[in-house]
Amino acid sequence: MLKNFFPYKILNIKNKNFNTLLILMLAVVFVGTVYGLFISPPDQIQGDSVRIMYVHVPASFLSLGLFGILGAISVLNLIFKIKILPYIGKSIAPIGFVFTLVSILTGSLWGKPTWGVWWAWDARLTSMLVLLIFYLTYILIWKFVENFNTANTINCFVAIVGSFNIPVIKYSVDWWNTLHQTSSITLTSAPTIHYSMLVPLVIMILGLFLYSLVIFLMRYKTELIKLKMNKKNKKIN
Amino acid sequence: MLTRKAKSRINLLLVLFITFGLVIFFIFKSLEDNLVYFFSPTEINNKMDISYKKKIRVGGLVKENSINKEETSINFIITDLKNEIIVFYSGSIPNLFSEGKGVVAEGRLKDKKLLIADKIIAKHDENYMPPEVTEALENNK
């Protein structure tokens, strides 16, 4: 599977294939947005603010998932020293960071009309803030540590340590009393969201996943081109 | 397939993982009381070391028919279906505050059955349902 991420494969992706992915992503997000905003019903208690969920849940889901990937590739990176892995991590991190921010901001917008407060220091919200800080640290280390190998090693540990936070975020609502509600979609029991709201949610999760993929491919390709240029410059000098 | 170096790195990482995981586990275990956002009435009832000076949050359901509204103040009962706590509060209440729904009250305990709150937060559960479906369900009862 990793072979698909090797430079020659990525740099050879035809623009046509990439554009197909881009159009597919836009179509899915469009359908999800229209469904979420106009077709799905308001909630019996929350009213129309339930629609914030269609962005909040996919963003949270992806921010956790992407950091999980960051942790996994960091482990592989430390053990096998595969050269492309740092570039994959470097390309993923900003996407996850933005999704974490979106998750916190939309959650805040939802919290005010629902709970009556913008923010609460409960376990779920606080652990999500910790995730944001980990993403930020990871990005800033890539930016400000000049030696590539040093930055890479530090960031592997940042990502691995930060990964311990992922199950904490996921299960915080089950382990401790939190203001945040427990998950509505679980593997073990039927979802507690009515299907008319579940459909747009699933479409949006797919849409934002495709969005992550598109942005990742763009960023990763840029990283690889930069790398190629650097090598060429070195040869000339 | 694995070189000896890679194998030793795997072992090192495994040891680090287990150590780090345990450390986190114990930290969380010892912080338990600070990690919960609120206590249920039963937890308050069973708690030995309650501070009556510090602020505390109590959460549960608003008991049916327990809300007493006066001009500027309100009192109601928080229940977890086993134990109950009476809450006195004056101030604005969130829109979603209603009987039978989740609530968190922040304030100081007078005794184990009485809380003087200075903040009320509504809690939403994990159920999402359009109003028509709820109506249909209630008509079928």
Side-chain angles (χ1 to χ4, degrees):
Chain A
M1 202 197 110
L2 206 56
K3 281 216 166 101
N4 292 322
F5 292 100
F6 279 5
Y8 69 95
K9 281 257 183 167
I10 295 288
L11 291 174
N12 283 339
I13 290 182
K14 290 200 180 72
N15 278 332
K16 215 174 88 188
N17 295 347
F18 181 78
N19 286 343
T20 318
L21 184 67
L22 189 70
I23 289 165
L24 181 69
M25 180 274 283
L26 288 174
V28 174
V29 170
F30 178 75
V31 171
T33 310
V34 170
Y35 206 127
L37 284 182
F38 302 109
I39 302 174
S40 79
D43 182 73
Q44 53 165 341
I45 303 166
Q46 307 160 55
D48 279 322
S49 63
V50 68
R51 300 179 202 285
I52 296 172
M53 170 182 75
Y54 305 132
V55 178
H56 177 75
V57 173
S60 319
F61 183 72
L62 280 161
S63 62
L64 263 66
L66 291 173
F67 205 95
I69 296 176
L70 223 53
I73 61 171
S74 296
V75 172
L76 292 178
N77 195 347
L78 282 180
I79 296 173
F80 300 108
K81 317 257 176 209
I82 302 167
K83 283 211 174 86
I84 55 162
L85 290 178
Y87 297 99
I88 295 181
K90 213 175 166 181
S91 316
I92 288 177
I95 309 169
F97 174 76
V98 169
F99 277 138
T100 315
L101 202 60
V102 166
S103 163
I104 291 174
L105 291 179
T106 52
S108 197
L109 284 177
W110 180 86
K112 186 62 189 168
T114 317
W115 296 336
V117 289
W118 297 103
W119 179 264
W121 292 103
D122 85 337
R124 170 58 74 80
L125 277 64
T126 310
S127 56
M128 209 55 192
L129 191 64
V130 171
L131 180 70
L132 188 76
I133 294 166
F134 268 105
Y135 267 125
L136 197 62
T137 313
Y138 188 92
I139 293 167
L140 289 180
I141 284 174
W142 274 128
K143 227 181 168 65
F144 293 119
V145 178
E146 278 187 12
N147 185 301
F148 181 86
N149 289 329
T150 319
N152 184 28
T153 315
I154 299 174
N155 263 343
C156 281
F157 285 105
V158 169
I160 290 169
V161 172
S163 296
F164 282 84
N165 189 29
I166 301 298
V168 175
I169 299 175
K170 176 79 184 76
Y171 295 106
S172 54
V173 289
D174 302 319
W175 290 343
W176 304 294
N177 290 335
T178 52
L179 184 57
H180 195 286
Q181 60 266 44
T182 50
S183 309
S184 302
I185 308 169
T186 52
L187 290 175
T188 45
S189 54
T192 54
I193 301 181
H194 192 256
Y195 76 91
S196 58
M197 298 171 179
L198 193 59
V199 172
L201 182 60
V202 172
I203 297 175
M204 281 307 273
I205 291 176
L206 182 68
L208 291 196
F209 171 74
L210 289 172
Y211 171 81
S212 315
L213 197 61
V214 166
I215 301 292
F216 165 74
L217 284 173
M218 288 163 84
R219 296 189 60 91
Y220 186 45
K221 205 169 172 176
T222 316
E223 288 292 337
L224 292 178
I225 291 169
K226 264 196 229 163
L227 185 69
K228 240 184 172 176
M229 299 295 280
N230 279 342
K231 272 187 186 163
K232 261 188 194 165
N233 287 342
K234 268 183 195 165
K235 267 182 198 164
I236 293 166
N237 292 337
Chain B
M1 192 191 110
L2 287 171
T3 60
R4 257 184 62 204
K5 267 192 176 172
K7 265 188 190 164
S8 70
R9 286 196 286 253
I10 291 176
N11 289 334
L12 183 66
L13 274 178
L14 271 178
V15 172
L16 282 177
F17 272 13
I18 295 166
T19 324
F20 193 66
L22 278 175
V23 168
I24 290 189
F25 177 76
F26 286 124
I27 292 177
F28 278 164
K29 256 287 177 257
S30 68
L31 286 177
E32 190 109 50
D33 261 12
N34 295 307
L35 287 171
V36 294
Y37 189 66
F38 60 84
F39 297 100
S40 69
T42 303
E43 280 163 347
I44 297 270
N45 197 36
N46 298 339
K47 230 166 123 59
M48 294 306 205
D49 53 333
I50 292 184
S51 159
Y52 293 99
K53 284 179 186 155
K54 264 194 189 164
K55 272 194 184 178
I56 197 167
R57 291 192 204 96
V58 180
L61 299 171
V62 181
K63 199 181 177 188
E64 303 274 351
N65 304 321
S66 76
I67 299 182
N68 247 327
K69 260 189 195 164
E70 277 156 40
E71 256 177 59
T72 55
S73 67
I74 182 171
N75 63 70
F76 59 94
I77 295 173
I78 293 183
T79 172
D80 57 7
L81 307 176
K82 275 186 204 146
N83 285 285
E84 295 175 345
I85 284 184
I86 304 167
V87 179
F88 279 85
Y89 173 71
S90 59
S92 64
I93 41 176
N95 295 333
L96 266 66
F97 174 85
S98 68
E99 288 179 353
K101 298 288 174 214
V103 71
V104 177
E106 186 181 297
R108 289 181 174 84
L109 283 169
K110 278 274 165 226
D111 58 58
K112 284 196 172 184
K113 292 283 167 210
L114 181 63
L115 181 86
I116 310 293
D118 47 28
K119 197 167 162 192
I120 299 285
I121 303 168
K123 190 173 176 343
H124 190 269
D125 61 16
E126 70 278 16
N127 295 303
Y128 297 79
M129 190 87 79
E132 303 85 47
V133 178
T134 323
E135 266 171 42
L137 282 175
E138 279 186 2
N139 288 341
N140 288 342
K141 265 182 193 169

